[in-house]
Amino acid sequence: MSNRILPLELIDKAIGSPIWILMRGQTELTGILRGFDDYVNLVLDDAVEYSPDPRDKSLIVKKELKAEILLNGNHVAVLVPGGKGPEDSLAVRAG
């Protein structure tokens, strides 16, 4: 039998670790995953939000969110456990 892993099991393994999240639209977040539910609503600590500047799309706005946050799972497009994303991500380009 193959080593299959279910999506919620993968997210469960990422609790307590850094995670990179792509939201619907052009927003990205990084932070420490603290918890989630069956709807993939996520609780993050030390979250940082990255989004294009509305006045100049070539610039990236970095916003450090100082409190524990809850993300609505309906707005999450992609979860990447363990990092800041590829070199072309907003999180990496913002430094």
Side-chain angles (χ1 to χ4, degrees), residues 4-14 36:
R4 293 185 351 188
I5 186 167
L6 297 173
L8 293 180
E9 291 175 345
L10 178 64
I11 299 169
D12 189 50
K13 287 183 177 189
F36 70 98

Side-chain angles (χ1 to χ4, degrees), residues 6 17 19 21 39-41 43 45 56 58 72 74 85-86 88 92:
L6 297 173
S17 301
I19 192 163
I21 303 164
Y39 300 101
V40 192
N41 296 314
V43 177
D45 276 339
D56 183 353
S58 67
N72 184 318
N74 288 331
D88 63 342
V92 171

Side-chain angles (χ1 to χ4, degrees), residues 29-32 44-49 63-67 69:
L29 289 108
T30 60
I32 305 297
L44 297 177
D45 276 339
D46 303 325
V48 180
E49 178 183 74
K63 182 178 178 183
E64 292 190 29
L65 308 170
K66 303 287 185 189
I69 65 165

Side-chain angles (χ1 to χ4, degrees), residues 15-68:
I15 289 178
S17 301
I19 192 163
W20 172 49
I21 303 164
L22 282 83
M23 304 295 286
R24 288 184 176 184
Q26 295 183 317
T27 301
E28 298 178 16
L29 289 108
T30 60
I32 305 297
L33 180 64
R34 294 295 174 212
F36 70 98
D37 65 12
D38 289 345
Y39 300 101
V40 192
N41 296 314
L42 305 171
V43 177
L44 297 177
D45 276 339
D46 303 325
V48 180
E49 178 183 74
Y50 302 91
S51 58
D53 188 316
R55 291 162 282 169
D56 183 353
K57 298 290 184 192
S58 67
L59 298 176
I60 298 166
V61 177
K62 177 181 177 181
K63 182 178 178 183
E64 292 190 29
L65 308 170
K66 303 287 185 189
E68 187 174 68

